[in-house]
Amino acid sequence: MIKHNPIQTMLDEHEVICKTEIVIESLDHFWESYPEKYKEIVTTLITFFREYADGYHHRKEEDVLFPAIKSHPDFVLQEIIDEFEQHHNDFRDYTKEIENAVTDGDYEKSYLELNNYLQDLLDHIAAENDELFVLAETLLEEEDLETIYFKFKDIDMELGEDRKTELEENIRSLKLTDI
């Protein structure tokens, strides 16, 4: 059993990201009664997706994990990595669309985009959990995985471990019952 497993780090971050599902689902038509609270919650979600999901999580994949897999001599499925990277770009576009709709006061559109983003994100996470991470653990040696783990830790330290914890707490504390 590997002591410093970067795949566990990825799975743990996916779990945090998936906590947004219940919040987003409960926002359906919420803006009709509580437009300011809706705007505040969606703004918090956008910040979380940009900083945590993209800044911390996707950066680890794009800067460390994907190159490690791609450079492995036995790896032949380049398209799978390209597809995951395209998803990351699509997610960046989603956050812009959601933010623009909120700024324009079109909360219904923002919710539709947010929900589309969530569904694509959940599919992406399932594919990474079931395919990419299994592939990584199969291809890479224990020493390689440990090296990746510490590179992940370096990214967390560079971006700020306290900020990462704060973003996780922001999502855990989002409750629509606080109105």
Side-chain angles (χ1 to χ4, degrees):
M1 183 69 179
I2 184 170
K3 184 176 178 188
H4 300 290
N5 188 343
I7 303 307
Q8 190 59 52
T9 301
M10 295 283 94
L11 292 168
D12 292 345
E13 288 177 1
H14 275 174
E15 198 173 299
V16 172
I17 294 165
C18 286
K19 290 183 188 310
T20 63
E21 180 178 12
I22 193 151
V23 174
I24 292 169
E25 287 177 349
S26 62
L27 283 174
D28 194 9
H29 294 281
F30 188 74
W31 63 87
E32 293 170 357
S33 301
Y34 306 98
E36 287 307 310
K37 186 71 175 170
Y38 174 84
K39 182 178 180 178
E40 178 188 319
I41 292 169
V42 172
T43 301
T44 299
L45 287 167
I46 291 168
T47 299
F48 173 79
F49 288 132
R50 279 197 176 134
E51 291 187 41
Y52 187 91
D54 196 41
Y56 287 87
H57 185 78
H58 293 159
R59 179 168 169 204
K60 288 178 184 132
E61 291 173 343
E62 292 172 2
D63 292 0
V64 180
L65 186 61
F66 293 168
I69 292 171
K70 285 197 282 196
S71 68
H72 194 281
D74 294 336
F75 180 68
V76 293
L77 298 170
Q78 182 65 45
E79 314 80 51
I80 192 173
I81 301 293
D82 293 344
E83 189 176 325
F84 286 128
E85 287 179 326
Q86 183 55 52
H87 292 171
H88 293 176
N89 288 326
D90 294 345
F91 297 147
R92 292 175 189 118
D93 291 340
Y94 269 127
T95 56
K96 285 182 204 142
E97 288 294 318
I98 297 161
E99 185 175 51
N100 290 340
V102 167
T103 300
D104 294 344
D106 191 344
Y107 296 156
E108 186 170 2
K109 180 181 179 192
S110 74
Y111 182 74
L112 291 172
E113 289 295 326
L114 186 60
N115 201 50
N116 289 338
Y117 176 40
L118 173 67
Q119 297 315 312
D120 286 355
L121 187 63
L122 294 175
D123 289 347
H124 173 82
I125 286 171
E128 284 188 344
N129 288 354
D130 296 344
E131 298 168 30
L132 179 71
F133 299 158
V134 172
L135 177 70
E137 287 187 309
T138 305
L139 275 181
L140 302 171
E141 300 293 327
E142 192 170 314
E143 306 82 56
D144 297 327
L145 289 169
E146 288 220 354
T147 299
I148 290 168
Y149 174 86
F150 288 108
K151 287 181 179 179
F152 284 180
K153 293 302 277 180
D154 289 344
I155 288 171
D156 284 351
M157 286 191 291
E158 178 190 325
L159 295 174
E161 291 178 315
D162 290 346
R163 179 61 178 157
K164 183 180 179 189
T165 302
E166 180 185 336
L167 290 162
E168 292 170 346
E169 288 305 313
N170 288 349
I171 290 306
R172 284 190 192 100
S173 67
L174 273 182
K175 294 184 189 75
L176 299 182
T177 55
D178 294 345
I179 308 162

